Amino acid sequence: GNSVTQMEGPVTLSEEAFLTINCTYTATGYPSLFWYVQYPGEGLQLLLKATKADDKGSNKGFEATYRKETTSFHLEKGSVQVSDSAVYFCALKSFTGRRALTFGSGTRLQVQP
Amino acid sequence: GAVVSQHPSWVICKSGTSVKIECRSLDFQATTMFWYRQFPKQSLMLMATSNEGSKATYEQGVEKDKFLINHASLTLSTLTVTSAHPEDSSFYICSARVGLAEGYEQYFGPGTRLTVT
């Protein structure tokens, strides 16, 4: 079946530090890959996505590249801000079998001023 | 963007009672809504897929008689936890699907925290 594995948190960084949150997946076929962000007290919001191999999704300074050879979709940001503090979820959508999103366990990011 | 609301955002109930959680798409119609459950520090686990006008499709291991789902209109789906027990305490999140083709998006509600005492 489909699965997503994320690095455990929390990840604590100082403002302007470089961020990487690792995500690897297992899926049949060629899934689409997503990063969602959940700010305190709010619902999940789509941060970025990639629908095919070598695609790079980007938004708000965050980037992730769909690497089929390593089945990975790592999230990166060059310089984090306090406002980036949130929980980040990696997810995939496969077009075989269940069609709802499959999520990783989430990684909490805490950015300190 | 598309907005999904949930009500209530937080509920406490006594063991043995039933609780209804509403999920609404505020500015769009959703033929399909998903219900997820999230345990502390864990991932969202899909419970069921709710289709307007038809019976919900439950994931393996989810008791359909305990978690009743009704999708009576294109903007409202409800999840009723029947005869709740403390182990049902969790964070329940709904998501509405926009689009029919493979490129559909899911928009999420803010979640409902259920505590059963």
Side-chain angles (χ1 to χ4, degrees), chain A residues 14-37:
Chain A
S14 298
E15 206 165 21
E16 299 184 2
F18 183 86
L19 168 71
T20 299
I21 300 178
N22 290 338
C23 171
T24 57
Y25 68 90
T26 301
T28 54
Y30 302 94
S32 293
L33 301 174
F34 304 81
W35 277 99
Y36 281 82
V37 59

Side-chain angles (χ1 to χ4, degrees), chain A residues 1-69:
Chain A
N2 299 332
S3 67
V4 177
T5 302
Q6 288 182 236
M7 61 187 292
E8 289 190 19
V11 174
T12 303
L13 297 174
S14 298
E15 206 165 21
E16 299 184 2
F18 183 86
L19 168 71
T20 299
I21 300 178
N22 290 338
C23 171
T24 57
Y25 68 90
T26 301
T28 54
Y30 302 94
S32 293
L33 301 174
F34 304 81
W35 277 99
Y36 281 82
V37 59
Q38 185 178 31
Y39 297 104
E42 298 184 19
L44 274 74
Q45 302 173 26
L46 179 62
L47 180 60
L48 53 84
K49 68 178 181 181
T51 58
K52 61 182 186 297
D54 299 325
D55 267 3
K56 176 185 285 188
S58 62
N59 185 25
K60 299 180 181 179
F62 291 89
E63 292 184 341
T65 302
Y66 189 147
R67 301 288 188 195
K68 189 173 185 296
E69 64 276 14

Side-chain angles (χ1 to χ4, degrees), chain B:
Chain B
V3 178
V4 176
S5 71
Q6 280 184 242
H7 178 80
S9 57
W10 183 47
V11 57
I12 300 175
C13 71
K14 292 186 177 180
S15 187
T17 61
S18 296
V19 173
K20 180 185 286 187
I21 302 170
E22 293 185 348
C23 175
R24 293 182 184 273
S25 55
L26 297 186
D27 50 1
F28 64 99
Q29 294 182 331
T31 55
T32 300
M33 291 185 175
F34 303 101
W35 285 95
Y36 291 85
R37 182 173 180 178
Q38 184 181 24
F39 291 100
K41 300 183 180 180
Q42 294 188 29
S43 182
L44 282 73
M45 302 301 297
L46 180 67
M47 298 175 65
T49 302
S50 167
N51 295 298
E52 188 267 337
S54 64
K55 291 183 179 180
T57 302
Y58 290 82
E59 294 299 301
Q60 191 172 10
V62 178
E63 299 176 58
K64 62 180 181 181
D65 294 330
K66 180 168 187 61
F67 299 100
L68 301 179
I69 292 173
N70 185 291
H71 195 155
S73 77
L74 289 172
T75 60
L76 173 65
S77 176
T78 60
L79 168 67
T80 301
V81 183
T82 62
S83 187
H85 291 282
E87 57 265 31
D88 298 325
S89 298
S90 190
F91 196 57
Y92 293 88
I93 301 173
C94 74
S95 171
R97 167 176 160 164
V98 177
L100 296 176
E102 300 297 357
Y104 73 84
E105 300 284 352
Q106 282 185 232
Y107 293 91
F108 289 82
T112 296
R113 184 165 302 284
L114 170 64
T115 301
V116 184
T117 61

